[in-house]
């Protein structure tokens, strides 16, 4: 399996358009030791011909253009992107689906709950259903293995299992709809396995880590983990108001119950933080927080990285 990180920042990207925090201001001015990043997007393939997107970010058009493997290679209208796996209904995870609307056949794997939110409550997504076999939606349930298939129903030989992690739907989901949905389908982590047994754990939004999840993560070769916030009150301290990291469904990196500490015992995976918010001090490579993460054996994802599993 080949894994490419097309984008590594949390929603808003880095820098974020309306943010002048020390990180965003510094990267704009060129005074920060660190790199700009687009919103989180990962692409995977087993055969190097048919690719699958994990989520569909608002930066997807530019991310595809920056990745030659994802360019059309056969005819005037064609794409090596065969399908998308959707892990939640967050705007920064699904907006890119609308950028893939050019009547190009595409399979979208999602839970039934997320499909209903997008297709039944948001008429804009009808742009993906203008012709027969444009977007082919395939439901999956948490904790069940399913094969990643392209729009022609060809099996990629990659197997996926979604782990139920969160219980909250995005704020735009109406309360009547929310109460009719299964909370366990709201926010998922994805475990993806190749025929060789190599495993990727894609976990961009993890509210907390229990021992069952810990064992799952330790079965992976590559862990792409929620690096959204350094501290629980990071947004509140930066902007003077807002919600805590945990209220937003993200375990912070630091503190006794943070991910750095909770995941310290993992032995197998290469450990990489992604979905890093622009306010997170680890983006400053000269910061003590950056050094602490690196010394603990973690890496901080950058756009364009790739891994062969
Ligand atoms: Zn900022």
């Amino acid at each position: 399996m080949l894994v490419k990180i097309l984008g590594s920042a949390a929603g808003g990207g880095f820098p974020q358009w309306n943010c002048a925090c020390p990180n965003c201001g510094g990267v704009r001015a060129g005074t920060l030791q660190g790199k700009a990043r687009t919103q989180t997007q990962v692409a995977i393939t087993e055969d190097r011909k048919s690719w699958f997107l994990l989520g569909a970010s608002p930066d997807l058009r530019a991310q595809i253009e920056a990745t030659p493997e994802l360019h059309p290679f056969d005819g005037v209208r064609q794409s090596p992107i065969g399908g998308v796996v959707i892990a939640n209904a967050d705007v920064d995870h699904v907006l890119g689906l609308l950028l893939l609307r050019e009547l190009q056949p595409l399979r979208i794997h999602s839970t039934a709950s997320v499909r209903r939110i997008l297709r039944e409550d948001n008429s804009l997504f009808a742009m993906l259903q203008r012709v027969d076999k444009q977007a082919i939606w395939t439901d999956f349930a948490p904790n069940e293995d399913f094969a990643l298939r392209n729009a022609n129903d060809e099996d990629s030989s990659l197997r996926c299992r979604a782990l139920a992690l969160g219980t909250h739907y995005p704020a735009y989901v109406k309360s009547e709809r929310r109460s009719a949905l299964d909370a366990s389908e709201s926010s998922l982590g994805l475990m993806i396995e190749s025929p060789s047994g190599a495993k990727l754990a894609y976990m961009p939004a993890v509210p907390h880590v229990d021992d069952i999840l810990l064992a799952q993560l330790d079965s992976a070769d590559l862990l792409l983990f929620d690096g959204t916030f350094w501290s629980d009150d990071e947004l509140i301290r930066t902007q003077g108001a807002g919600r805590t990291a945990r209220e937003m469904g993200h375990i912070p990196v630091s503190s006794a119950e943070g991910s750095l500490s909770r995941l310290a015992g993992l032995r197998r995976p290469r450990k990489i933080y992604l979905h890093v918010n622009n306010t997170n001090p680890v983006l400053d490579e000269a910061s003590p927080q950056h050094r602490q993460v690196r010394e603990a054996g973690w890496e901080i994802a950058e756009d364009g990285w790739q891994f062969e599993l």
Side-chain angles (χ1 to χ4, degrees), residues 5-10 37-41 274-276 301-303:
I5 296 179
L6 313 187
S8 52
R37 287 164 167 84
T38 61
Q39 294 167 94
T40 289
Q41 180 66 57
L274 96 166
H275 199 266
V276 185
E302 296 178 7
D303 296 9

Side-chain angles (χ1 to χ4, degrees), residues 105-303:
L106 186 75
R107 184 172 302 273
I108 303 172
H109 296 275
S110 76
T111 60
S113 299
V114 168
R115 170 178 51 77
R116 291 174 67 192
I117 291 168
L118 300 182
R119 290 192 60 182
E120 297 174 19
D121 299 349
N122 290 277
S123 60
L124 206 52
F125 282 83
M127 288 304 284
L128 297 173
Q129 312 298 149
R130 288 166 63 213
V131 298
D132 192 33
K133 293 188 176 171
Q134 185 184 350
I136 301 153
W137 294 73
T138 306
D139 294 351
F140 63 78
N143 300 315
E144 276 177 17
D145 288 345
F146 61 96
L148 298 189
R149 293 177 171 276
N150 65 16
N152 296 326
D153 207 26
E154 291 158 344
D155 188 337
S156 66
S157 78
L158 292 170
R159 293 287 172 277
C160 184
R161 171 178 284 244
L163 309 180
L165 300 179
T167 55
H168 290 90
Y169 285 98
Y172 71 81
V173 179
K174 293 188 184 126
S175 55
E176 316 88 82
R177 170 63 86 186
R178 195 184 300 252
S179 57
L181 297 176
D182 184 343
S184 72
E185 295 192 349
S186 62
S187 183
L188 307 157
L190 303 175
M191 301 290 299
I192 293 158
E193 186 170 351
S194 76
S196 71
K199 263 194 207 174
L200 163 70
Y202 173 72
M203 305 277 151
V206 181
H208 63 272
V209 177
D210 60 22
D211 290 345
I212 296 167
L213 178 60
L214 215 47
Q216 288 279 351
L217 300 184
D218 216 7
S219 74
D221 300 285
L222 177 64
L223 171 59
L224 303 177
F225 193 83
D226 186 340
T228 313
F229 297 112
W230 174 258
S231 53
D232 198 36
D233 63 350
E234 184 171 314
L235 272 192
I236 299 167
R237 275 190 294 119
T238 303
Q239 60 194 26
R243 293 183 294 163
T244 66
R246 285 194 173 85
E247 283 168 354
M248 296 173 74
H250 298 287
I251 183 175
V253 173
S254 70
S255 84
E257 282 300 303
S259 58
L260 210 51
S261 161
R262 287 291 288 142
L263 304 186
L266 294 186
R267 302 203 164 270
R268 181 165 167 188
R270 182 169 171 180
K271 297 182 290 188
I272 296 173
Y273 281 121
L274 96 166
H275 199 266
V276 185
N277 198 58
N278 61 80
T279 51
N280 192 326
V282 299
L283 289 170
D284 179 356
E285 293 165 18
S287 69
Q289 293 90 343
H290 181 93
R291 192 176 339 115
Q292 188 182 338
V293 164
R294 298 288 291 120
E295 283 173 357
W298 285 79
E299 296 162 84
I300 300 154
E302 296 178 7
D303 296 9

Side-chain angles (χ1 to χ4, degrees), residues 70 97 109 279 308:
L70 299 181
L97 289 174
H109 296 275
T279 51
E308 183 77 61

